[in-house]
Amino acid sequence: MRTPHDQQTLAEYFQQWMETFKKPAVSPVTYIKYENTLKHIRTYMGTAQLDVLNRYQYQTALNKFAKTHAKRTTSGFHKQIKAAVLDAIEEGLIDTDFTRRVIITGREKAKEKVMFLSYSEWQILIHHTSKKSEHSFNLIIYLSAVTGLRFAEVLGLTLEDIDFKSKRIIVNKTWDYKYHTGFKETKNESSVRSIDIDTQTLKIIKQVIRYRKFNSPDQKVCVDVAGALPVSATINRYLKKLCKILNISTISFHGLRHTHASILLFKNVNILSVSKRLGHKDVTTTQSVYLHVIKEMEEREIKLIMKIMKTALSE
C-alpha cells in the first residue's frame, strides 16, 4: 500500500533527508553543499514527484545542469541526489533507482595558465592601487601584490593583525568568502606567520583606517563602505578590467601571489625566506611551484660564473 509520502516531490524528500541525516553529521561548510544541491533540484527538476521520476527525466535534468557547470560539479550534484534516492528505496518509498547508470557530463574546465606580471608591470599595478586604496578592491589587490598573501588571508586581516610598531602583518586566520561561514583557520600550520611590510604599505593601511573610521580591533581591514567583502569571482573580474586599463598582462588574483614570489626570487631573496613569507609547508613546495624561475636563475648564475672564470684566466 502506498503512503502519503508518495506525493512528495524529490525536492521535498531531499530537504527532509538532508535535515534529518546530514545536518547533525556533517560540518557547516559541507551542509551548505547539500543546501546548494536542494536549490538546484528545485531549479532543474521543479515539482517532479519522487515516485514518478524515471531515468530518462533525471538524465535530461542532469544534462541541463551540466551545460552550465563543470563535470566535477555535476558529479557532486548527482552523488548527493543518488545517496538520498537509495535511502528512499530502502525506506520503501520508491521501487527503482532512477539515478542508475546515468552519464555524467559537464563543461571541461580549461586549465588555467599561471601568468606573472613583469617587474615593471607589477610596479604599475601597485602604484595605481596604492593611490586608490580607499576602494576596497584596490586595497585587496595591493596587499596581495606586496605581501604574497592568499585571497582568503587578505580578507581575514583585522586591525589587531597589523603591528605598526614592528612593521608586520600577522596572518593567523582566513575569511570564508566561498560559503560565508566567517573566519576560518589558515590553510595549514605553516600559513600562520608574520610578514614584514614596508613603511609605505603601513601608511596606506593607516589612511584606510582613518578614511573608514575603523576603531575596533576585530574590524576587518578590507571591507567596502557597506561592510562587505567580495567573492573571488568579483575580485578577479575587477582585476581583469584593471589590467586592461593599465595596459599590463591580464592575470588572476592568485597570479599576484606568484608574481610577488617570482620577483623576490629574481631579486636574489633567499628561497627559504620566500617560502616562509608565502606560508609554504617547506622549501620543497616553493621549489616545485617556482621551478621555472629557479631554472632561469641558475642559467643567470652559470653565465656569471663563466664570466668570472673568463676574467680570471685573462688577467
Side-chain angles (χ1 to χ4, degrees), residues 145-205:
V146 299
T147 64
L149 289 179
R150 301 175 178 95
F151 182 52
E153 292 173 341
V154 176
L155 298 190
L157 291 177
T158 57
L159 291 191
E160 62 186 353
D161 298 327
I162 314 300
D163 188 337
F164 292 98
K165 186 176 181 180
S166 300
K167 297 183 180 180
R168 290 179 176 178
I169 286 178
I170 310 302
V171 182
N172 54 24
K173 59 187 177 299
T174 63
W175 182 259
D176 180 13
Y177 60 87
K178 188 174 183 180
Y179 297 113
H180 313 292
T181 59
F183 289 110
K184 292 177 60 179
E185 294 182 351
T186 54
K187 186 175 182 180
N188 51 57
E189 292 182 4
S190 301
S191 295
V192 177
R193 62 201 188 280
S194 62
I195 297 176
D196 293 303
I197 52 176
D198 59 280
T199 304
Q200 179 63 19
T201 298
L202 283 172
K203 182 179 178 181
I204 290 169
I205 294 174

Side-chain angles (χ1 to χ4, degrees), residues 93-130:
L93 301 180
I94 54 178
D95 299 323
T96 58
D97 176 13
F98 56 79
T99 68
R100 179 179 62 90
R101 294 173 59 192
V102 295
I103 306 301
I104 304 297
T105 59
R107 294 189 307 179
E108 291 296 334
K109 187 176 180 180
K111 189 175 182 180
E112 185 178 342
K113 184 179 180 181
V114 177
M115 294 185 66
F116 305 80
L117 295 179
S118 66
Y119 183 72
S120 59
E121 289 177 324
W122 175 74
Q123 282 184 307
I124 291 171
L125 182 65
I126 62 174
H127 284 161
H128 177 85
T129 51
S130 66

Side-chain angles (χ1 to χ4, degrees), residues 29 51-52 68 139 146 167 185 226 235 274 282 288-289 306 312:
V29 170
D51 66 332
V52 173
T68 54
L139 178 63
V146 299
K167 297 183 180 180
E185 294 182 351
I235 202 73
V274 175
D282 50 51
S288 62
V289 174
M306 293 302 100

Side-chain angles (χ1 to χ4, degrees), residues 4-71:
H5 285 294
D6 295 339
Q7 303 305 314
Q8 275 188 316
T9 64
L10 173 61
E12 289 171 339
Y13 177 77
F14 187 86
Q15 181 176 6
Q16 183 183 55
W17 175 80
M18 73 178 195
E19 289 175 350
T20 304
F21 299 105
K22 295 301 174 181
K23 193 171 186 177
V26 301
S27 69
V29 170
T30 300
Y31 190 68
I32 289 174
K33 295 179 181 180
Y34 284 96
E35 291 179 319
N36 288 336
T37 294
L38 176 60
K39 291 178 184 177
H40 293 319
I41 290 174
R42 288 169 174 162
T43 300
Y44 292 92
M45 298 174 212
T47 58
Q49 290 185 15
L50 179 65
D51 66 332
V52 173
L53 264 170
N54 58 43
R55 184 165 167 256
Y56 174 81
Q57 292 169 323
Y58 179 71
Q59 180 72 70
T60 300
L62 207 60
N63 290 345
K64 289 181 180 179
F65 179 86
K67 286 182 179 180
T68 54
H69 294 83
K71 188 173 183 179

Side-chain angles (χ1 to χ4, degrees), residues 117-119 122 258-269:
L117 295 179
S118 66
Y119 183 72
W122 175 74
H258 288 312
T259 297
H260 181 76
S262 299
I263 288 173
L264 294 183
L265 291 170
F266 273 124
K267 292 294 182 179
N268 296 316
V269 175

Side-chain angles (χ1 to χ4, degrees), residues 72-88:
R72 181 177 178 181
T73 304
T74 305
S75 178
F77 176 54
H78 162 68
K79 285 179 180 178
Q80 290 190 347
I81 294 175
K82 185 175 183 65
V85 168
L86 291 178
D87 277 359

